[in-house]
Amino acid sequence: YERIVKAVHIAWKTCSGLFVGILIILFVVAIILTIFYNDNPNFSNPLASLYSAFRLFSIEGWYEIPDEIASNSGIVKAFFTKTIFSFIVFFGGMVGMGFLTSVITDELASDNNDEVLERLDRLEKLIKEKR
């Protein structure tokens, strides 16, 4: 239990800056989407926009939102919308969230690696003493 708590604490210290950065980007994207698409129910107010932006970042039903906007828009706005939302999903969802997940996983694994390396060093010392 203590190892898990220690590993989570180390992972949180390492990832907290990245997590805060992604939250800031999420808020900025939500505000920009509220400004551009306030006529759509998904972006009618900042709270709804924040939820919709989170859906885009988490890649949960991301295609439904731009398709809905594009179906009620002209061809230029539809193209612009699908392009912008694709970039948001790619950079916010795939790259951003993927990077956050990989950093957390790496930190949790590195804690285990540190313990293994420490044991290996002790084993090497024992072998040298026995020679």
Side-chain angles (χ1 to χ4, degrees), residues 69-80:
I69 294 170
S71 68
N72 299 326
S73 304
I75 192 166
V76 174
K77 187 175 181 180
F79 176 76
F80 174 74

Side-chain angles (χ1 to χ4, degrees), residues 2-5 7 49 66 82 86 99 101 106 109 116 124 130:
E2 289 177 19
R3 279 184 49 203
I4 293 171
V5 171
S49 186
K82 288 184 178 186
S86 295
F99 187 69
T101 303
D106 185 54
V116 170
E124 285 178 346
K130 297 292 181 184

Side-chain angles (χ1 to χ4, degrees), residues 55-71:
R55 282 182 59 195
L56 294 171
F57 274 46
S58 66
I59 313 175
E60 179 64 34
W62 69 271
Y63 55 89
E64 297 167 354
I65 297 170
D67 284 348
E68 178 187 330
I69 294 170
S71 68

